[in-house]
Amino acid sequence: MSRKYQQYKNSETWRVLNRAISALVKNGDLEEKTAREYIVGYLSQKLADQGIQPNGELKKSHKLDHASESNERRIKVAG
């Protein structure tokens, strides 16, 4: 486990993202080319950066910045 993402490991956000990715991999919609912990950790961190708390709540002081999505790396989806 990368220490960079350790703080998210036991969060509800981590559990939800991990289950969702598992479902996508299982049904063939997503091909993982990176270790799962880095994928889930990266996504957890990005949600936290946008004000989503590890328990799933939105910080009142944050507003989601949808424009920043276009600047992020894309995860390859099998299609």
Side-chain angles (χ1 to χ4, degrees):
M1 164 64 59
S2 169
R3 288 180 187 237
K4 182 176 181 178
Y5 303 128
Q6 186 65 37
Q7 67 192 37
Y8 306 110
K9 179 73 171 161
N10 295 314
S11 70
E12 183 63 20
T13 299
W14 185 283
R15 285 186 286 277
V16 169
L17 290 172
N18 192 46
R19 284 191 306 259
I21 292 169
S22 289
L24 290 169
V25 169
K26 184 177 180 180
N27 71 22
D29 288 335
L30 183 71
E31 178 184 334
E32 290 177 280
K33 293 188 175 189
T34 302
R36 174 74 60 90
E37 67 187 33
Y38 291 104
I39 296 169
V40 176
Y42 177 82
L43 293 173
S44 296
Q45 183 179 44
K46 289 301 169 188
L47 288 172
D49 290 348
Q50 291 297 314
I52 305 296
Q53 297 295 305
N55 64 3
E57 294 180 10
L58 178 63
K59 279 186 190 173
K60 291 180 182 179
S61 64
H62 270 79
K63 205 175 187 182
L64 290 178
D65 179 10
H66 297 289
S68 69
E69 286 181 8
S70 63
N71 296 329
E72 298 299 328
R73 294 185 296 167
R74 307 244 189 265
I75 297 175
K76 182 178 176 164
V77 177

